[in-house]
Amino acid sequence: MEATDTRRKITVGIFIFIGLLIFVLGVFTLGSQKKAFVKSFLVKVVFDDIQGLKAGDNVWFSGVKIGTIKKIQFYGTSQVEVTMNIEENAHQYIRKDAAASIGSDGLIGNKIIVIDGGNPKVPAIEDGDRIRVNKTLSTDEMMKTLQVNNRNLVDITTDFKTISSNLASGKGTAGALLSDEEMAGNIKSIVANLQSTTIATNKMAAELRTFSHSLNNKQGLVNNLVSDTVIFNRLKSSSYDFQRAAQSANAITANLNTASAKLNDTNAPAGLLLNDQQTTEQLRRIIENLESSSYNLNEDLKALQSNFLFRGYFKRKAREAGDQNKK
């Protein structure tokens, strides 16, 4: 009986010992996960919105867990102050200008605080310091943005569906281009004309290049005109001669205009002869009288030649004239 009680007590003692051992191991395990037995210091940060953070959530630095959230309390009128327990071995990497932001452990994981170490030239942070907030888009804001983008994508898809339907049915200019064979033929004709125009333009450009090369030829006329001073001076002299000839022609023209004006003037003798009918008639009579007088004078001379008084004189004149002709 006593042996049975002793064995039962030993068994109970063993179970109690095993239970205590498991409890101690559990405490140490949980303590190591929560960094309960690691030397740490406190850092504070004030957020406008903690987005569901709670005490015990993790604090990360460069992707490594360096602490946990110790306490959350309201600050001021509408802000929230978060106190963090940071491991001492991360002390030297966090500077006074460090910034904290709220993230998540995965896409839909637990909320965490992510610390940016800051500028290495700035002194290290001290126990109880408050760091600034790094303004970044939260997960909720990202989801809102994605929702807006999704709605915009739906609208774009709907519009594209409408456009593609109009194109398929031949509506609008683009639809007509795709479905109207006559318009397609016109476009092909336009493209062909553009190609021929391009070929002609290229040919013209080549001819212009050839012509410009010929102008630059040292043996050519243009180059001689530009560079040969003798030819240039000759051309200059010829230009002056042309100018003088033009001036002379202008003077002659002016004189002719003046003479023409005088011919039309009845006060001038020539104008009177050309324009006065009475004077013209008188001149005609004078000319007729002169012709009649000349005829009568010739008859008188013939009569004188027949007269015996002047017959010897006229014969002598005839002999003298014959002698002059022989000489």
Side-chain angles (χ1 to χ4, degrees), residues 248-321:
S248 300
N250 291 333
I252 293 171
T253 303
N255 294 331
L256 289 175
N257 290 331
T258 303
S260 176
K262 290 181 179 180
L263 291 176
N264 294 325
D265 187 5
T266 56
N267 294 323
L272 182 62
L273 292 174
L274 292 175
N275 300 299
D276 193 344
Q277 295 294 331
Q278 184 178 358
T279 303
T280 304
E281 185 65 24
Q282 291 176 354
L283 287 174
R284 186 177 64 77
R285 289 178 191 157
I286 291 170
I287 292 171
E288 289 178 353
N289 292 331
L290 287 174
E291 290 179 352
S292 177
S293 299
S294 177
Y295 177 78
N296 293 330
L297 182 60
N298 288 330
E299 292 295 326
D300 292 339
L301 289 174
K302 289 179 180 180
L304 288 174
Q305 288 177 0
S306 300
N307 191 299
F308 72 95
L309 294 176
F310 297 98
R311 187 179 301 166
Y313 173 77
F314 284 109
K315 287 181 178 181
R316 187 172 62 254
K317 285 290 185 182
R319 285 195 301 269
E320 291 178 356

Side-chain angles (χ1 to χ4, degrees), residues 220-260:
L221 176 60
V222 175
N223 185 74
N224 291 333
L225 292 176
V226 174
S227 59
D228 194 333
T229 57
V230 175
I231 295 178
F232 179 77
N233 290 330
R234 289 177 180 175
L235 288 174
K236 187 176 180 180
S237 178
S238 299
S239 176
Y240 289 153
D241 292 339
F242 279 124
Q243 289 180 354
R244 287 194 294 270
Q247 292 174 356
S248 300
N250 291 333
I252 293 171
T253 303
N255 294 331
L256 289 175
N257 290 331
T258 303
S260 176

